[in-house]
Amino acid sequence: CLWGEDMFIDQCLGRVLKVKRVLMNNLLTEEHCDPPEDWDTCEDKSSIAFHPFKKLATYSQCLNTTTDGRKDADKFADNNETG
C-alpha cells in the first residue's frame, strides 16, 4: 500500500466503516493546508492535532509543548523511539 497513515485512516473510515465526515477546519493544523508560519511549535491551543512530524525529535518537542511536559508524554516518546 502506497498510502501514508493519514490516507489509510481516511479511506478506512469513509469507504469501509461508512463514517460520515464532518469538516471542522480548526481542529487539525496540517503542514500541507496553509498553516500559520509557526504551526510546528504546537503552541496554538485551538488545535488538537498537528501533522506531520517525520522525525522523533520534532514530534517529541511538539508532544511536550501540547502536554506541558507531563511525564506520561515523555514516557510515550521514550517507548516509541524508532530512530
Side-chain angles (χ1 to χ4, degrees), residues 6-43:
D6 49 351
M7 182 60 82
F8 176 81
I9 196 71
D10 179 66
Q11 296 300 307
C12 182
L13 289 172
R15 290 186 179 185
V16 177
L17 299 176
K18 308 293 185 206
V19 174
K20 180 182 175 189
R21 179 180 296 193
V22 176
L23 184 60
M24 298 184 74
N25 289 329
N26 63 328
L27 298 181
L28 171 66
T29 299
E30 162 68 54
E31 181 182 34
H32 304 292
C33 296
D34 196 27
E37 187 173 316
D38 62 348
W39 75 272
D40 56 351
T41 64
C42 304
E43 293 177 353

Side-chain angles (χ1 to χ4, degrees), residues 56-69:
L56 181 60
T58 54
Y59 169 75
S60 294
Q61 182 178 358
C62 181
L63 182 63
N64 283 327
T65 299
T66 59
T67 59
D68 296 323

Side-chain angles (χ1 to χ4, degrees), residues 55-57 59-60 63 72-83:
K55 297 185 179 186
L56 181 60
Y59 169 75
S60 294
L63 182 63
D72 55 339
D74 292 336
K75 185 185 222 182
F76 175 83
D78 290 344
N79 289 334
N80 289 289
E81 284 195 39
T82 57

